[in-house]
Amino acid sequence: MSGAAAGDVPVLWLTAGLSCDGDSIAMTAATQPSLEDLVFGAFPGVPKVRFHHPVLAYEVGAEFLETFEAAQGEDFPPFILVIEGSVPNEANHAEGCWAGLGTDPDTGQPIPTTTWIDRLAPKAWAVMAVGTCATYGGIHAMAGNPTGAMGLADYLGWGWRAKSGLPIVNVPGCPVQPDNCTETLLYLLRQMVGAAPPIPLDEVLRPKWLFFQTVHEGCDRAGYYEQGDFASEYGSPRCIVKLGCWGPVADCNVGKRGWINGVGGCANVGGACIGCTMPGFPDKFMPFLDEPPGAKMSSSAVLLYGRTVRALRKVTRGSLNVEPEWRRRTDVVVAEPVVDSGGE
Ligand code: SF4
Ligand code: SF4
């Protein structure tokens, strides 16, 4: 792993994949750390970040692209390349391109996004794929799509390495949970200045500490599941597994972390988990909002135990809601309650 001198670190953010730009918008809600924390250098010893991002930039057109051109040269400082959006297969059509950014001055044609990736990825100190589209292909990569869309690791290769020696760092989510994104960026910055060991990634290149748990393991409704107490309609506070929640098998920390500043989280607030952080999304989770096949079996198994335990707990709760007898005064004569006869 190569180190880098402390100083502002350019983060070149390509939103020109196939996407809705939702990850960029989500990131503006990050609080742990926030964009401002990263830009203004809130962390001692961690370099500040200079974002080159179309949503945040004042520059437009060719002026905006100057940094992306310069980053291909040898004099450019170590930078982090962020890819948002899935990567189309530009080899599957005769003319034009599925996705592009800027115009080639020689041909007057759009510069394909894949060309930017080919030029910039080998120069980057680290490469992050942000959001499910960039990581694993997402919605655009569904069976039968005409674009041949894929995730960045499918495009560059799962064994691909950046200049630092790091593999692609995948932070999936549709959109990405904002703090998962900025926290991963912060980790890379710390690694860049030698303040952290190489980022630990799981077998599908997600930061391990963010994706080691299932939604279910951190869900506010897990107590209802355990008691076999399942919602049959929306608006109920109970477990929504029978309304299509895939939380028991989806690796995601949103149940614990919430969405913005610790608040929210899909299943917590009544939105069935559709497994958006998983490489098999969306095809393997469809049709959305149908009870998952595995849940039919597991929730049936839970029912007998859950209902029995719930009934027993009801009895126990009843007894626990009564104070022990010895806490009452014995020297006070309690008056009989006065019954209002209503004036009759
Ligand atoms: Fe698990 Fe989903 Fe039920 Fe939450 S709502 S307890 S994640 S099945
Ligand atoms: Fe995606 Fe499920 Fe996590 Fe929500 S809880 S972000 S749907 S994986």
Side-chain angles (χ1 to χ4, degrees):
M1 305 283 165
S2 64
D8 289 8
V9 173
V11 171
L12 275 59
W13 192 302
L14 273 180
T15 59
L18 301 171
S19 84
C20 64
D21 287 2
D23 307 299
S24 292
I25 303 307
M27 194 184 58
T28 61
T31 58
Q32 295 174 339
S34 67
L35 286 182
E36 292 84 349
D37 290 338
L38 296 173
V39 169
F40 295 117
F43 305 99
V46 175
K48 292 180 191 172
V49 160
R50 261 183 294 129
F51 283 105
H52 298 275
H53 186 302
V55 172
L56 306 174
Y58 284 106
E59 307 86 4
V60 294
E63 197 184 347
F64 171 72
L65 288 175
E66 278 174 12
T67 304
F68 290 77
E69 298 286 0
Q72 298 164 46
E74 295 307 318
D75 298 335
F76 201 76
F79 69 95
I80 296 172
L81 178 66
V82 178
I83 305 293
E84 177 175 351
S86 50
V87 185
N89 180 2
E90 299 294 359
N92 74 356
H93 53 86
E95 58 182 23
C97 67
W98 293 113
L101 176 71
T103 305
D104 184 330
D106 296 330
T107 64
Q109 295 298 310
I111 302 170
T113 302
T114 48
T115 301
W116 287 109
I117 295 172
D118 294 343
R119 290 176 184 170
L120 292 171
K123 305 283 184 183
W125 183 86
V127 175
M128 265 175 82
V130 166
T132 302
C133 296
T135 51
Y136 309 124
I139 296 281
H140 313 96
M142 281 176 68
N145 84 85
T147 63
M150 63 194 99
L152 187 64
D154 298 315
Y155 180 72
L156 290 177
W158 284 84
W160 185 90
R161 301 270 164 173
K163 264 186 163 179
S164 57
L166 277 178
I168 295 163
V169 178
N170 281 336
V171 193
C174 186
V176 69
Q177 201 283 349
D179 296 327
N180 283 352
C181 178
T182 51
E183 188 179 306
T184 303
L185 205 44
L186 176 61
Y187 190 107
L188 290 175
L189 294 169
R190 294 187 69 237
Q191 184 185 332
M192 208 174 199
V193 293
I199 186 167
L201 302 174
D202 67 16
E203 64 280 4
V204 285
L205 305 181
R206 299 173 296 203
K208 274 186 178 170
W209 79 95
L210 296 174
F211 291 93
F212 76 99
Q213 253 182 336
T214 64
V215 178
H216 187 68
E217 286 162 348
C219 180
D220 286 354
R221 296 172 188 245
Y224 287 104
Y225 183 100
E226 187 246 0
Q227 294 185 162
D229 201 357
F230 304 121
S232 55
E233 56 188 26
Y234 293 105
S236 163
R238 299 183 168 82
C239 166
I240 50 177
V241 71
K242 294 204 168 288
L243 300 179
C245 185
W246 283 84
V249 289
D251 303 328
C252 173
N253 63 353
V254 156
K256 281 273 192 205
R257 191 162 212 176
W259 267 104
I260 299 177
N261 208 13
V263 178
C266 306
N268 292 349
V269 295
C273 169
I274 54 173
C276 76
T277 58
M278 305 294 279
F281 177 84
D283 304 65
K284 292 186 178 176
F285 296 86
M286 294 175 74
F288 292 150
L289 307 186
D290 273 9
E291 186 179 3
K296 285 197 172 85
M297 189 194 73
S298 58
S299 60
S300 303
V302 164
L303 266 181
L304 178 62
Y305 158 85
R307 283 186 176 160
T308 308
V309 163
R310 191 165 14 130
L312 293 172
R313 284 177 181 162
K314 198 173 171 191
V315 174
T316 309
R317 274 171 81 193
S319 78
L320 296 175
N321 266 321
V322 177
E323 286 186 334
E325 281 183 19
W326 61 85
R327 289 194 198 147
R328 303 207 185 115
R329 286 177 65 172
T330 53
D331 59 339
V332 177
V333 177
V334 179
E336 288 295 319
V338 178
V339 179
D340 185 352
S341 63
E344 291 172 10

